[in-house]
């Protein structure tokens, strides 16, 4: 193997751009990892930079999930791809009744990407992981030629300890449908961040780790099932739930919390907030008797202030449907065509 002496001796500068050599696995890769990633990601499991991290789980009942992040733009009001890549994976564990413990982070970087922006993303990953109480224990960096990817893509795998398994067959007729807050914030924030519309607004993404909000709910007997309504939004989650559980789901338009500005912008752009992505919300199915208690618990948390019971599960019909404000009925189907691709 030929070693490029100039590159090998060069020290990484924050004003630098990502070079193909940063993905070589050689000295430049080490420099990048040390200077950018290890400055912010400081877990003792990561530090040895071995091929695999040794992790310890007290509970042998574990959950594992993975997700790739290709959001455009990389930085948006309320977050960035780094924050999103931690929240998305943490939230998939949390809605599965698990306590998130460990994360792996894989970066695919485009040649020419500013090192300073990569550091901002690393900082964001660090802050969000701390907030969620998870440790980044292993990672990977690859670099592709200019034009072969859009700045940065991230893949995050998460491992958590299962406290409350929540299989879909828990869901029964008579159960309540709860949403933990306003819907459509993330999708709206991303749409506006693309600057394709001449609209000024204060909508920010709801991107947040939900484990702090959801873990206390694991103790409630009547908790049945949870899902985070990301791509495809609340409507798609409920349509999938209805099909998989072979039960009817009915929600009421006037009960679904939607921010005034999100509703206004959606109307203007022809979006439906029920189909827009969320990155800091959960749908919770709970027994009718326990639903009010759960909403009360959620409302005490800053991320659950707008929590509400929005509908119920029924055996009297099939499919998911929306009762409109004027008393009409609309079928909620799974999202067919992505009106807003690359939102996460
Ligand atoms: Mg999910």
């Amino acid at each position: 193997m030929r070693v490029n002496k100039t590159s090998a001796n060069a020290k990484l500068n924050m004003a630098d751009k990502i070079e193909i050599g940063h993905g070589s696995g050689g000295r430049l890769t080490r420099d990048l990892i040390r200077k950018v990633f290890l400055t912010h990601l400081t877990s003792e499991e990561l530090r040895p930079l071995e091929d695999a991290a040794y992790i310890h789980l007290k509970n042998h009942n574990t959950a594992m999930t993975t997700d790739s992040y290709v959001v455009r733009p990389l930085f948006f009001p309320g977050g960035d791809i780094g924050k999103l890549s931690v929240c998305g994976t943490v939230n998939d564990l949390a809605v599965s009744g698990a306590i998130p413990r460990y994360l792996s982070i894989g970066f695919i970087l485009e040649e020419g990407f500013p090192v300073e922006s990569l550091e901002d993303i690393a900082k964001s990953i660090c802050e969000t992981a701390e907030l969620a109480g998870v440790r980044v224990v292993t990672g990977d960096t690859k670099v592709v030629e200019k034009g072969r990817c859009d700045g940065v893509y991230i893949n995050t795998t998460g491992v958590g300890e299962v406290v409350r398994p929540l299989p879909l067959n828990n869901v029964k007729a008579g159960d309540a449908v709860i949403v933990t807050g306003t819907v459509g914030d993330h999708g709206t924030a991303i749409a506006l961040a693309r600057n394709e519309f001449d609209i000024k607004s204060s909508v920010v993404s709801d991107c947040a780790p939900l484990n702090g909000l959801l873990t206390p709910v694991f103790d409630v007997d009547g908790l049945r099932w949870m899902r985070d309504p990301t791509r495809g939004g609340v409507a798609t989650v409920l349509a999938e739930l209805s099909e998989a559980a072979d039960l009817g789901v009915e929600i009421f338009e006037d009960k679904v919390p939607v921010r005034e500005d999100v509703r206004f912008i959606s109307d203007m752009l022809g979006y439906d907030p029920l189909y827009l992505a969320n990155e800091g919300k959960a749908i919770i199915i709970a027994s009718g008797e326990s639903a009010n208690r759960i909403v009360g618990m959620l409302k005490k948390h800053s991320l659950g202030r707008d929590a509400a019971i929005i509908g119920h599960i029924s055996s009297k019909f099939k499919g998911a449907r929306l009762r409109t404000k004027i008393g009409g009925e609309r079928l909620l189907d799974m999202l067919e065509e992505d009106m807003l691709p690359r939102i996460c």
Side-chain angles (χ1 to χ4, degrees), residues 188-211:
T188 307
I190 294 292
L192 296 181
R194 289 188 186 160
N195 289 323
E196 288 157 8
F197 314 105
D198 193 19
I199 303 173
K200 292 259 178 299
S201 130
S202 55
V203 179
V204 297
S205 165
D206 56 348
C207 183
L210 289 174
N211 51 330

Side-chain angles (χ1 to χ4, degrees), residues 97-297:
I99 296 179
R101 295 285 186 215
Y102 298 108
L103 289 187
S104 82
I105 303 215
F107 291 91
I108 296 174
L109 308 175
E110 182 188 10
E111 179 188 12
F113 189 72
V115 170
E116 205 181 351
S117 302
L118 187 59
E119 180 159 40
D120 289 339
I121 291 168
K123 264 187 220 162
S124 231
I125 289 173
C126 164
E127 284 166 14
T128 316
E130 253 168 44
L131 188 64
V134 288
R135 296 155 78 99
V136 176
V137 294
T138 187
D140 178 54
T141 309
K142 296 276 161 39
V143 179
V144 296
E145 304 93 322
K146 196 160 187 54
R148 301 289 170 137
C149 98
D150 206 352
V152 180
Y153 301 146
I154 298 179
N155 174 273
T156 315
T157 295
V159 174
E161 298 181 77
V162 180
V163 188
R164 180 75 190 267
L166 297 167
L168 189 84
N169 59 16
N170 276 353
V171 177
K172 293 176 180 62
D175 286 351
V177 180
I178 297 165
V179 66
T180 60
T182 55
V183 309
D185 301 6
H186 179 73
T188 307
I190 294 292
L192 296 181
R194 289 188 186 160
N195 289 323
E196 288 157 8
F197 314 105
D198 193 19
I199 303 173
K200 292 259 178 299
S201 130
S202 55
V203 179
V204 297
S205 165
D206 56 348
C207 183
L210 289 174
N211 51 330
L213 174 72
L214 299 180
T215 306
V217 179
F218 295 169
D219 294 332
V220 179
D221 267 348
L223 172 66
R224 310 273 206 228
W225 184 80
M226 297 196 276
R227 178 67 64 82
D228 54 337
T230 53
R231 270 179 307 176
V234 168
T236 301
V237 165
L238 296 180
E240 282 173 358
L241 167 66
S242 154
E243 190 179 292
D246 199 26
L247 286 164
V249 180
E250 184 172 54
I251 61 167
F252 298 87
E253 191 176 22
D254 57 357
K255 301 233 164 93
V256 179
V258 183
R259 281 172 58 124
E260 197 90 347
D261 44 9
V262 167
R263 191 184 300 283
F264 180 75
I265 292 162
S266 295
D267 282 348
M268 270 176 73
L269 302 180
Y271 297 147
D272 179 347
L274 283 172
Y275 282 91
L276 286 175
N278 310 277
E279 291 292 343
K281 300 289 151 48
I283 293 283
I284 301 175
I285 308 297
S287 69
E289 305 78 58
S290 66
N292 278 318
R293 191 178 150 217
I294 290 176
V295 169
M297 291 169 81

